[in-house]
């Protein structure tokens, strides 16, 4: 029998969704039957991945999409499973990750009037007034599937929202009776259901920005996630060469410019000091950044001209947001940069000025790299600099790093120094626990890649490692996990001392943030997924231990956890 659930499976294939990450419940008999029927009759269905934890399911989809560029799907159980997605929904929304989420809902009949009518006590308890409202504030689109006659059109409309800028997650729900109901097959012309084309920067605006950039003494570009499109990163590098422009990253979640570029000036996060290059810039062009600087700590000079390009320049989902630019432009980053380059090609550029600016930024970039080398060679126990320097030789062109170092975000980026767009990622959101599931998603998207996840110790526990490592073993998606053990949550400590530098907290021995006595992080992964476990500290031979860890990962195809006990 052809049902709404059958049609839903077909629409996933029409959307080129290769994986569905599921946590099934009593609302899904129609889907379970439809999947089994399709397999029995030789019809293809997406790869179904069982996920014992809903947040991990969505995090895997998040990581997969970051690597593959293709949205995936997540199926969860009624409002309980919807709420269990929690922080992963925040991350997908804030990072603009397109993903389709389907949740069942309690049956709407209770006396057997329809196939799928209520037959379990839990279905009364799980019936809530506004299930979609639980996540509506984070969704690009939400709706309820009420009939199989237009389920395909409903899903395709949802995915148009998900894949059109600004991208993001979409949420659908369906009662059990609807998924069970028979319906007639519908043929959909996918050419009529494509996402909206990226927004171009007009020729007049491109010419305006080209003239401003060409005429500035110290032009600077600030970006955070331009590199989610590798072609945009390539265009940015070409623009820097063409006009002699420096690039600073603020809270980067992608590789936006190779770290060995003479125009790459580094990255900043929450440092309580002003960045010299940002302060000296007389023109700042912000491209694809939600938080280009923190005004109370670090901002451009008062006389600097500020221009802003983004597909969502008003940041419509952020209640408090402004950087007071001279002008803002709604445009796709790659298209905008290429339009500026074309416009600059029509100008009479000063070769002397461009050469001077290029030499200035090359000197600043060179001094930065020399400082980082000095940090790596200092004898200071087990530091992030020393650990990342030992890790870097194992990072080749086929390696993907998922960085959730939290208070160590910056030194991980700095000392691994990625030179290839697509080599390192962060979540793009603010809810911890992304890196474990994201590493699985990366491995599923690129099975031949070596995947490394870097996490703080508190963040590691947020990943739900028991679920993550079970999934990694079950679906042959091993990765290497570095746990930065600094004995607890450092981020709340930094936050408290930033606000109360001389308060009682600054003198207290215990801020209720320590994990001592620490869990055996490697043993958790070993018990759940057969992972190999290593521990390194200030006295370890890092090169030897990491060589062993990567040998296990690649030769035995087992996940590996390396706990790094930092000084």
């Amino acid at each position: 029998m052809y049902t709404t659930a059958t049609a839903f499976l077909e629409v996933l294939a029409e959307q080129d969704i290769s994986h569905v990450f599921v946590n099934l419940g009593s609302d899904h008999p129609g889907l379970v039957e439809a999947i089994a029927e399709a397999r029995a009759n030789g019809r293809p269905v997406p790869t179904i991945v069982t996920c014992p934890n809903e947040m991990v399911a969505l995090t895997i989809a998040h990581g997969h999409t970051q690597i593959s560029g293709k949205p995936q799907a997540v199926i969860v159980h009624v409002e309980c499973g919807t709420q269990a997605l929690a922080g992963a929904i925040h991350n997908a929304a804030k990072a603009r990750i397109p993903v389709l989420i389907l949740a069942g809902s309690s049956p709407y009949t209770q006396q057997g009037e329809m196939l799928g009518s209520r037959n379990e006590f839990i279905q009364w308890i799980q019936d809530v007034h506004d299930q979609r409202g639980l996540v509506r504030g984070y969704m690009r689109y939400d709706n309820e599937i009420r009939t199989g006659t237009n389920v395909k059109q409903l899903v395709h409309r949802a995915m148009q929202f998900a894949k059109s800028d600004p991208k993001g997650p979409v949420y659908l729900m369906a009662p059990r009776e609807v998924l069970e109901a028979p319906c007639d097959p519908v043929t959909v012309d996918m050419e009529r259901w494509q996402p909206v084309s990226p927004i171009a920067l007009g020729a007049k605006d491109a010419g305006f920005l080209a003239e401003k950039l060409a005429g500035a003494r110290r032009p600077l570009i600030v970006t955070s996630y331009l590199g989610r499109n590798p072609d945009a990163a390539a265009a940015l590098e070409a623009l820097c060469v063409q006009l002699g422009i420096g690039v600073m990253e603020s809270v980067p979640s992608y590789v936006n410019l190779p770290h060995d570029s003479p125009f790459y000036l580094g990255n900043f996060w929450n440092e309580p000091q002003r960045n010299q290059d940002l302060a000296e810039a007389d023109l700042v062009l912000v491209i694809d950044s939600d938080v280009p600087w923190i005004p109370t700590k670090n901002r451009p000079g008062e006389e600097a001209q500020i221009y802003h390009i983004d597909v969502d320049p008003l940041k419509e989902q952020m209640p408090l947001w402004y950087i007071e630019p001279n002008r803002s432009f709604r445009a796709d980053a790659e298209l905008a940069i290429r339009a500026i380059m074309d416009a600059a090609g029509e100008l009479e550029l000063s070769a002397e000025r461009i050469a001077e600016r290029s030499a200035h930024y090359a000197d600043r970039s060179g001094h930065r790299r020399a400082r980082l080398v000095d940090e790596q060679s200092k004898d200071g126990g087990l530091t992030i600099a020393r650990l990342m320097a030992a890790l870097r030789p194992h990072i080749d062109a086929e390696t993907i790093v998922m960085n959730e170092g939290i208070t160590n975000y910056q030194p991980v980026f700095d000392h691994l120094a990625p030179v290839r767009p697509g080599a390192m990622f962060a979540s793009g959101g603010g809810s911890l626990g992304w890196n474990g599931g994201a590493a699985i998603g990366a491995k599923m998207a690129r099975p031949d890649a070596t995947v490394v996840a870097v996490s703080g110790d508190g963040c590691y526990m947020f990943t739900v490692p028991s679920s993550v490592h079970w999934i990694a073993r079950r679906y042959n998606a091993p990765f290497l996990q570095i746990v930065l053990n600094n004995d607890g949550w450092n981020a709340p400590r930094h936050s408290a001392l930033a606000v109360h530098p001389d308060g009682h907290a600054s003198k207290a021995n215990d801020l209720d943030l320590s994990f001592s006595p620490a869990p055996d992080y490697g043993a958790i992964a070993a018990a759940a997924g057969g992972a190999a476990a290593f521990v390194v500290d200030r006295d370890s031979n890092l090169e030897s231990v990491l060589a062993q860890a990567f040998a296990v990962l690649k030769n035995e195809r087992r996940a590996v956890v390396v706990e790094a006990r930092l000084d």
Side-chain angles (χ1 to χ4, degrees):
M1 184 169 62
Y2 190 93
T3 66
T4 304
T6 311
F8 180 79
L9 289 179
E10 287 185 358
V11 81
L12 297 181
E14 291 170 0
Q15 280 291 331
D16 197 24
I17 290 173
S18 60
H19 290 72
V20 185
F21 304 99
V22 305
N23 191 295
L24 299 171
S26 59
D27 42 340
H28 298 130
L31 278 171
V32 172
E33 175 64 19
I35 292 168
E37 185 272 332
R39 288 171 174 166
N41 289 295
R43 294 197 312 276
V45 294
T47 299
I48 308 296
V49 178
T50 301
C51 298
N53 179 274
E54 291 90 345
M55 193 197 83
V56 174
L58 182 50
T59 301
I60 298 174
H62 185 146
H64 192 295
T65 300
Q66 283 181 296
I67 305 304
S68 68
K70 295 182 178 181
Q72 304 302 313
V74 173
I75 297 177
V76 296
H77 175 49
V78 297
E79 40 79 56
C80 297
T82 299
Q83 294 188 88
L85 292 169
I89 282 184
H90 160 94
N91 287 339
K94 300 306 177 183
R96 299 173 178 169
I97 300 297
V99 61
L100 172 65
I101 302 168
L102 174 72
S105 63
S106 286
Y108 54 77
T109 59
Q110 69 173 28
Q111 300 195 66
E113 300 97 321
M114 302 177 70
L115 182 63
S117 186
R118 294 184 184 185
N119 63 348
E120 300 177 33
F121 80 91
I122 201 68
Q123 291 157 352
W124 279 265
I125 298 171
Q126 292 170 339
D127 190 4
V128 297
H129 287 295
D130 188 9
Q131 181 175 315
R132 288 155 54 193
L134 295 171
V135 296
R136 186 171 294 122
Y138 297 87
M139 294 295 137
R140 291 282 289 121
Y141 175 87
D142 70 272
N143 207 338
E144 179 178 347
I145 298 171
R146 296 182 174 92
T147 172
T149 59
N150 67 355
V151 64
K152 286 192 175 185
Q153 292 91 332
L154 204 66
V155 172
H156 289 319
R157 173 168 165 76
M159 294 308 293
Q160 281 185 307
F161 277 95
K163 296 191 288 188
S164 298
D165 287 322
K167 300 178 177 69
V170 293
Y171 180 88
L172 298 175
M173 56 179 278
R176 199 162 73 162
E177 296 95 329
V178 171
L179 291 173
E180 296 282 359
C183 62
D184 294 325
V186 174
T187 300
V188 173
D189 180 1
M190 286 303 297
E191 289 298 317
R192 298 174 179 266
W193 291 96
Q194 296 302 305
V196 175
S197 298
I199 305 166
L201 183 68
K204 183 177 179 181
D205 291 333
F208 171 82
L209 288 174
E211 288 185 1
K212 290 291 185 180
L213 288 166
R217 186 180 67 87
R218 289 285 176 263
L220 181 72
I221 291 174
V222 176
T223 186
S224 301
Y225 47 81
L226 174 152
R228 61 185 170 175
N229 174 5
D231 292 336
L236 176 62
E237 188 171 13
L239 176 65
C240 292
V241 173
Q242 182 186 23
L243 295 180
I245 305 173
V247 173
M248 178 65 66
E249 293 176 312
S250 175
V251 196
S253 48
Y254 294 83
V255 179
N256 302 295
L257 192 71
H259 280 222
D260 61 357
S261 166
F263 299 99
Y264 182 74
L265 303 174
N267 53 89
F268 50 70
W269 302 72
N270 293 330
E271 299 91 308
Q273 67 268 353
R274 196 173 188 188
N275 179 270
Q276 179 181 339
D277 295 295
L278 184 64
E280 291 179 353
D282 61 336
L283 185 148
V284 179
L285 176 58
V286 178
I287 310 177
D288 278 5
S289 179
D290 290 335
V291 187
W293 49 76
I294 298 176
T296 58
K297 301 177 180 180
N298 179 31
R299 59 178 302 151
E302 292 296 328
E303 302 302 318
Q305 297 181 66
I306 299 171
Y307 299 98
H308 180 211
I309 299 173
D310 200 292
V311 295
D312 178 23
L314 297 179
K315 308 297 180 185
E316 295 174 15
Q317 292 301 309
M318 294 186 185
L320 176 63
W321 190 95
Y322 51 86
I323 60 172
E324 300 180 289
N326 294 75
R327 284 185 63 182
S328 287
F329 307 88
R330 188 185 296 272
D332 171 81
E334 181 194 356
L335 297 181
I337 292 171
R338 296 197 184 281
I340 293 170
M341 291 174 63
D342 289 343
E346 301 296 322
L347 300 176
E348 292 185 10
L349 301 174
S350 169
E352 182 179 352
R353 173 176 290 177
I354 292 172
E356 188 278 332
R357 296 192 312 204
S358 298
H360 169 79
Y361 286 127
D363 181 67
R364 294 283 299 145
S365 183
H367 276 87
R368 173 185 172 274
R369 288 194 297 273
R371 174 178 56 79
L372 294 175
V373 171
D374 287 343
E375 289 179 9
Q376 295 164 10
S377 60
K378 286 181 180 177
D379 183 15
L382 184 54
T383 63
I384 298 294
R386 182 185 161 206
L387 179 62
M388 293 301 114
L391 180 62
R392 194 169 58 245
H394 299 279
I395 308 298
D396 58 22
E398 298 303 318
T399 301
I400 298 168
V401 178
M402 313 307 266
N403 177 8
E404 199 171 16
I406 312 304
T407 53
N408 289 304
Y409 269 129
Q410 185 180 43
V412 172
F413 266 101
D414 282 347
H415 293 285
L416 283 183
V419 298
R420 176 179 55 84
M424 186 182 294
F425 300 82
S427 74
S431 187
L432 305 188
W434 158 88
N435 72 96
I440 294 175
K443 186 67 176 176
M444 289 182 172
R446 289 254 316 275
D448 295 335
T450 299
V451 180
V452 177
V454 181
S455 168
D457 49 351
C459 189
Y460 173 76
M461 289 195 281
F462 273 125
T463 67
V464 196
S466 57
S467 183
V468 162
H469 284 278
W470 178 84
I471 296 169
R473 176 166 62 174
R474 165 78 180 268
Y475 295 98
N476 192 27
F479 64 98
L480 188 143
Q481 174 89 58
I482 305 286
V483 179
L484 306 175
N485 183 351
N486 50 26
D487 187 33
W489 284 313
N490 259 352
R493 179 182 291 110
H494 286 303
S495 297
L497 298 183
V499 178
H500 302 287
D502 301 312
H504 291 285
S506 69
K507 304 173 183 66
N509 292 324
D510 186 2
L511 297 181
D512 306 302
L513 302 172
S514 172
F515 294 156
S516 182
D520 189 334
Y521 299 110
I524 296 171
F534 297 86
V535 176
V536 293
D537 58 23
R538 63 183 298 129
D539 298 319
S540 300
N541 184 326
L542 290 180
E543 291 72 16
S544 175
V545 175
L546 289 176
Q548 294 177 59
F550 277 95
V552 171
L553 177 70
K554 295 178 179 180
N555 298 333
E556 300 180 22
R557 295 194 61 80
R558 275 202 294 158
V560 179
V561 173
V562 178
E563 177 190 344
R565 295 176 180 171
L566 303 175
D567 285 278

